[in-house]
Amino acid sequence: RTQFVGPGEKVVLRTAAGDAFFVWRKFIDDSGEQGVNCAAFRNEGTIKSSELIRQADAIADCAWPCERHYTYVNPSRVRSCNPGFCFLCAGWRRLRRRTKSGLIILER
């Protein structure tokens, strides 16, 4: 089998139309971050990204109760002037610290 998500526990979600997907991954993160990682998220549909994130959060809460959710955003790879805004609208927060490579860390 070919893995498109790295090792560890994972949940892959997609909309019925296939126009959005979300990947959760629980693994030992070399960066030292703890919890369940949003490894990938893309929305090309009409449903607001913040709503999809809230739904993905609820599923992750069932799979991994009481775990922190976190993700990384590369500000140079997104078109928004406010990188991670959809996560902020979904109730996440931006941490003051960044990764060594300059990625923004968001958590819920």
Side-chain angles (χ1 to χ4, degrees), residues 54-75:
R54 283 188 201 97
Q55 290 176 17
D57 276 333
I59 292 167
D61 286 340
C62 289
W64 299 285
C66 304
E67 287 283 349
R68 170 184 178 247
H69 300 174
Y70 72 98
T71 195
Y72 305 109
V73 176
N74 184 339

Side-chain angles (χ1 to χ4, degrees), residues 39-67:
F41 173 55
R42 178 117 180 152
N43 180 15
E44 295 186 3
T46 58
I47 302 171
K48 283 189 171 187
S49 292
S50 57
E51 178 57 28
L52 294 173
I53 293 166
R54 283 188 201 97
Q55 290 176 17
D57 276 333
I59 292 167
D61 286 340
C62 289
W64 299 285
C66 304
E67 287 283 349

Side-chain angles (χ1 to χ4, degrees), residues 1 7-9 20 23 30 36-38 42 53-54 62 80 99:
R1 289 186 238 175
E9 298 175 52
V23 178
D30 292 339
V36 183
N37 174 253
C38 166
R42 178 117 180 152
I53 293 166
R54 283 188 201 97
C62 289
S80 173
T99 66

Side-chain angles (χ1 to χ4, degrees), residues 5 15 17-20 34 43-44 48 51 58 63 75 88 90-91 97 101:
V5 180
T15 58
D19 54 9
Q34 300 287 320
N43 180 15
E44 295 186 3
K48 283 189 171 187
E51 178 57 28
L88 300 175
R97 73 177 186 279
S101 61

Side-chain angles (χ1 to χ4, degrees), residues 42 72-80 83 103-104:
R42 178 117 180 152
Y72 305 109
V73 176
N74 184 339
S76 67
R77 301 278 311 251
V78 295
R79 287 180 279 181
S80 173
L103 300 180
I104 296 169

